Amino acid sequence: KHALRHKIEYAHPAQFRPHPCNTNEHPKKQREFLKSAVAQLGFINPVLVNDSLQVVAGHLRVEVAQELRLDAIPYIRLS
């Protein structure tokens, strides 16, 4: 069997575009928890994007990174 290998890349949070089908709304408590965790620990789970940097998974992580004014966050491009 052949395993997929994805490269972790980094980009400024403003470069990512939300997926138009994303309808998730996160409670304020969840947003604040994630914001605190990212501020303390950094990113553990990269954002998943398509080839045009449209977010497939991780919309809240991108939003939190923008709120924290992070210079770059990890992502994996799914192609």
Side-chain angles (χ1 to χ4, degrees):
K1 293 190 176 188
H2 160 10
L4 293 176
R5 295 177 191 223
H6 296 288
K7 179 177 145 188
I8 295 178
E9 302 177 72
Y10 292 83
H12 190 277
Q15 289 184 265
F16 300 101
R17 297 180 309 117
H19 194 283
C21 293
N22 179 46
T23 58
N24 290 342
E25 291 189 25
H26 302 283
K28 183 177 180 176
K29 188 174 182 177
Q30 182 181 8
R31 176 183 296 275
E32 292 304 317
F33 177 81
L34 182 60
K35 192 173 181 179
S36 174
V38 169
Q40 290 178 8
L41 305 171
F43 267 77
I44 295 171
N45 190 11
V47 175
L48 302 180
V49 301
N50 65 15
D51 283 332
S52 61
L53 295 183
Q54 189 173 63
V55 178
V56 174
H59 290 84
L60 183 57
R61 284 174 272 158
V62 172
E63 292 172 18
V64 163
Q66 290 172 331
E67 291 174 14
L68 292 172
R69 297 185 172 152
L70 299 181
D71 292 330
I73 60 173
Y75 70 94
I76 294 175
R77 190 183 310 255
L78 304 173
S79 329

